[in-house]
Amino acid sequence: MAHILACCSVTTRTNVAYCDIANCVAILYTDCMSDTNEKTPIARRFRGFLPVVIDVETGGFNPKRDALLEVAAVLLDMDDQGLVSRKQTISCHIEPFPGANLDIESLEFTGIDPYNPFRMAKPEHEALEHIFKPVRQAIKDSGCSRAVLVGHNASFDLSFINAAADRSKIKRNPFHPFSTFDTVSLAALAYGQTVLARAVKAAGFDWNSEKAHSAVYDTERTADLFCTIINQWNDFSIKQQEAIPSIKATEGI
């Protein structure tokens, strides 16, 4: 709006303001093009969305009833050649919310003791802000508009993140409310594998079963998988991408 006002030639006649609309539109268009050109590679690559890899460990499968016990997030970076890599890992142990259900089979599967004092667990609101704050900063630094959750069976992770954010009355959830990048689908396409351990091995990484079902370990391996698939696709399709016509970010919404 400031750009428009600065370029307007205004004459007041019976309290009516006249503006050189053509010049305003031209300058505003130039500013928009400049903003697009100044976006970071990762903002341009994913249509203004920032992929953030998330894994949660829980006390069951129902996000509204069962406890959220661990969250880990991996922030990603992209270089000028379009190669994606891990940048930072953030994690937090979480106290079960009041009245939360804790399914015994789920706890045996993950090996989590929710009430172990050495977990140094935080209340849900504090834990989510510990994760959300650096995600919001990464969105700002990258010139993106919002984060998109990357996960293996990503809808599960997103459902627990959204439910916890609602319980905590957090209004500025940085993640898109329903869109995700799911490494199950990506791995099925790239390697014919859908199980995380097998997909990670197919991508050329080791898998340590003893460390699995820790939010940090699973998130970092999921991030490695996602980055490898994206980077392989870039190698394969760079010429094809150059032939694709530019599409405005608002088209198809």
Side-chain angles (χ1 to χ4, degrees):
M1 183 63 71
H3 294 299
I4 295 178
L5 294 176
C7 68
C8 289
S9 175
V10 180
T11 302
T12 301
R13 182 181 302 168
T14 63
N15 296 325
V16 177
Y18 296 93
C19 178
D20 188 345
I21 299 297
N23 288 339
C24 293
V25 171
I27 292 177
L28 182 60
Y29 176 80
T30 301
D31 287 342
C32 290
M33 293 300 293
S34 176
D35 291 343
T36 301
N37 293 335
E38 291 174 0
K39 284 185 177 180
T40 61
I42 200 165
R44 294 195 300 269
R45 176 63 177 83
F46 297 105
R47 196 169 163 265
F49 293 113
L50 179 68
V52 177
V53 188
I54 293 284
D55 184 74
V56 302
E57 301 298 335
T58 69
F61 296 96
N62 187 324
K64 294 184 178 180
R65 182 192 67 184
D66 300 329
L68 176 61
L69 299 174
E70 289 184 20
V71 179
V74 172
L75 304 180
L76 305 177
D77 197 12
M78 178 179 281
D79 64 20
D80 292 336
Q81 283 70 49
L83 296 177
V84 190
S85 59
R86 281 198 270 142
K87 181 179 182 181
Q88 181 185 1
T89 301
I90 311 123
S91 65
C92 196
H93 295 278
I94 306 173
E95 298 174 358
F97 64 88
N101 180 65
L102 293 166
D103 181 72
I104 297 301
E105 291 184 0
S106 296
L107 298 181
E108 290 176 349
F109 182 74
T110 61
I112 296 173
D113 177 0
Y115 300 108
N116 187 328
F118 295 105
R119 293 180 69 229
M120 305 298 290
K122 302 176 184 293
E124 260 191 352
H125 186 281
E126 184 180 345
L128 287 181
E129 287 296 354
H130 177 75
I131 300 293
F132 286 177
K133 185 176 180 179
V135 171
R136 294 186 191 110
Q137 187 62 49
I139 292 170
K140 181 179 180 181
D141 292 344
S142 64
C144 291
S145 59
R146 199 158 196 179
V148 170
L149 188 147
V150 179
H152 207 74
N153 294 309
S155 61
F156 177 84
D157 301 282
L158 183 60
S159 69
F160 271 86
I161 292 293
N162 285 343
D166 288 344
R167 279 192 299 271
S168 301
K169 298 184 177 1
I170 295 176
K171 296 182 179 179
R172 293 181 58 227
N173 184 340
F175 289 95
H176 194 285
F178 53 83
S179 292
T180 60
F181 295 157
D182 199 324
T183 51
V184 173
S185 300
L186 293 173
L189 174 65
Y191 307 118
Q193 300 290 346
T194 57
V195 176
L196 180 59
R198 294 180 180 179
V200 166
K201 289 180 180 179
F205 298 94
D206 294 330
W207 179 263
N208 188 327
S209 297
E210 295 181 358
K211 293 182 179 180
H213 308 303
S214 153
V216 169
Y217 184 81
D218 288 3
T219 307
E220 290 184 341
R221 277 294 176 258
T222 301
D224 291 336
L225 176 63
F226 177 75
C227 292
T228 300
I229 295 172
I230 294 298
N231 293 340
Q232 287 177 340
W233 172 255
N234 287 349
D235 290 341
F236 172 77
S237 67
I238 186 168
K239 291 183 179 180
Q240 289 90 329
Q241 288 187 46
E242 290 175 352
I244 298 174
S246 177
I247 301 176
K248 293 181 179 179
T250 55
E251 288 186 26
I253 294 179

